[in-house]
Amino acid sequence: MPDAEGAEDDVIPALSVKIEPEVPPTGHLTLSYATTAAHRRAHWLATARGFSRYLWGAEVYPGANVFGRYLAYGQVEILAAGNPINLADSGFAEAGWDWNCWPGTTAIHLPLERLRDKVNNVDRFSGFEEMLISDEPFAGGSNLGGRDGLFAMKLHEHGKYDGSHRARKSVFFFDDHLVLLGSGITNNDERHDTRTTLFQQRLRSPAAPIRVDDQPALGAFPAQLVRPAAAGASLVDTIGNAYYLLADSALRVTKSTQSSRSQNDKRDTSGDFVLAWLDHGAAPRDAGYAYAILVQPTDERREDFGAALRQPATAPFAILRRDNAAHIVRDRDTGIL
């Protein structure tokens, strides 16, 4: 553009310098004021999230996030697919999503009309939303050496819905694998099952097989798998993460067209999903679970990891305690206890 005297501004010449992309970050981040842990390796990110006496679990408004009650019940989200990496390619899709089943969470599986929020306006000045907290102060994470870490919480649902629902949950982040432990899972709901969700992912093709114990399984659609005692079982999800069950819990896997509602509760939705969970049954008493996730392994790494798990002398990690007093894990390669 001409200046006040009519002269042309200087034109910046094109740069001939070749700009290289930054090396992807690797490390572990504890976000204390978000009750969140974030674990990054190259091109994938795994996060764990909870809530406590000091930080609410979800923000729910009339017409927004009305089924979001379980968002922070220990959700473990893995972003690892797409170019660039994104939520949709990593398995999430609102249409047909079962709002009861956020991966990693332990929750009572309710009909949508029971899960829907019940926002009450306290007074004309306090706003019109729901941001429920717990009476438990213990929730958060710890950074171990900058590269690894852990997350843990004492889950207690707010009495507005079901104050009998409790669990103690932890996630240990060791390089490319996560160890997830649960104990003390208890509630009084005799009508609905309590679930710990392994994963819920949109199916790009209904015929896509889900690998179980390294065998292509559940190739049909719809399909389901039921294992009453599943210790030793392994699964591979739609984006290549491997799950290893370490304690006897009832495993359920379904491939189906799921019916749901939009997050603002304005329309019916549906979509094709694979859903895998550990079923603790109705009104559980001191139930628990233990499983590991190997994130984005090569086929060789997945096979070696599974074989090592079957031999205590070579296992990648050891679970030393899993009860209401403590969750303790020792990792072989990192030496972290």
Side-chain angles (χ1 to χ4, degrees):
M1 295 290 292
D3 59 19
E5 298 180 357
E8 296 286 334
D9 288 342
D10 291 335
V11 177
I12 300 175
L15 295 176
S16 59
V17 178
K18 184 178 180 180
I19 300 175
E20 297 290 343
E22 183 180 354
V23 176
T26 291
H28 189 90
L29 185 64
T30 299
L31 303 166
S32 298
Y33 286 93
T35 329
T36 297
H39 189 74
R40 175 87 183 249
R41 290 294 186 272
H43 297 289
W44 58 261
L45 172 69
T47 60
R49 181 166 179 250
F51 69 107
S52 70
R53 176 179 178 180
Y54 308 109
L55 289 159
W56 55 87
E59 294 191 19
V60 177
Y61 301 86
N65 196 30
V66 300
F67 304 109
R69 186 192 313 175
Y70 293 153
L71 269 168
Y73 281 41
Q75 181 183 175
V76 175
E77 180 181 74
I78 299 174
L79 299 178
N83 186 21
I85 304 294
N86 64 84
L87 194 61
D89 286 320
S90 296
F92 177 80
E94 182 183 355
W97 185 263
D98 187 336
W99 302 107
N100 287 282
C101 297
W102 298 95
T105 61
T106 299
I108 303 171
H109 196 270
L110 300 172
L112 279 179
E113 60 269 18
R114 290 281 303 276
L115 184 62
R116 184 183 289 109
D117 70 281
K118 300 180 180 65
V119 175
N120 299 317
N121 194 9
V122 178
D123 55 53
R124 56 184 293 196
F125 305 106
S126 299
F128 201 61
E129 68 277 328
E130 179 179 275
M131 294 186 289
L132 299 181
I133 59 174
S134 169
D135 60 354
E136 293 284 3
F138 189 91
S142 182
N143 187 311
L144 304 174
R147 288 182 55 86
D148 301 291
L150 62 88
F151 177 87
M153 69 178 296
K154 293 180 180 179
L155 170 62
H156 186 200
E157 185 165 313
H158 195 281
K160 179 178 179 180
Y161 294 109
D162 193 332
S164 73
H165 182 56
R166 294 178 178 270
R168 301 196 177 192
K169 298 172 63 65
S170 60
V171 185
F172 299 81
F173 299 87
F174 302 123
D175 197 23
D176 66 345
H177 56 285
L178 284 56
V179 182
L180 300 92
L181 306 182
S183 63
I185 301 171
T186 300
N187 62 62
N188 297 331
D189 192 325
E190 298 180 345
R191 298 180 58 193
H192 307 99
D193 289 341
T194 297
R195 301 180 177 184
T196 295
T197 301
L198 301 178
F199 58 86
Q200 177 178 194
Q201 293 171 335
R202 180 188 60 167
L203 288 168
R204 291 188 173 277
S205 168
I210 302 301
R211 297 184 68 87
V212 180
D213 295 335
D214 268 344
Q215 299 296 318
L218 297 181
F221 185 91
Q224 65 176 341
L225 178 148
V226 178
R227 289 196 179 178
S234 64
L235 303 89
V236 179
D237 67 17
T238 64
I239 62 172
N241 302 313
Y243 298 73
Y244 302 87
L245 306 189
L246 309 171
D248 269 331
S249 300
L251 170 66
R252 304 285 189 270
V253 186
T254 61
K255 287 174 62 182
S256 64
T257 299
Q258 296 182 173
S259 299
S260 186
R261 294 279 293 173
S262 61
Q263 61 85 23
N264 54 19
D265 201 19
K266 290 186 176 180
R267 60 187 177 88
D268 292 324
T269 67
S270 66
D272 296 336
F273 284 83
V274 57
L275 179 59
W277 73 93
L278 303 176
D279 193 343
H280 308 297
R285 285 290 176 268
D286 201 28
Y289 61 84
Y291 65 99
I293 306 174
L294 188 60
V295 186
Q296 296 296 287
T298 62
D299 289 343
E300 181 180 9
R301 170 64 171 155
R302 187 184 72 249
E303 292 169 3
D304 290 348
F305 191 88
L309 274 178
R310 292 189 286 271
Q311 302 294 329
T314 61
F317 57 87
I319 300 171
L320 305 184
R321 189 162 184 175
R322 178 177 59 91
D323 56 29
N324 274 1
H327 291 181
I328 304 174
V329 176
R330 177 188 285 118
D331 188 66
R332 177 181 296 275
D333 290 342
T334 64
I336 293 173
L337 172 64

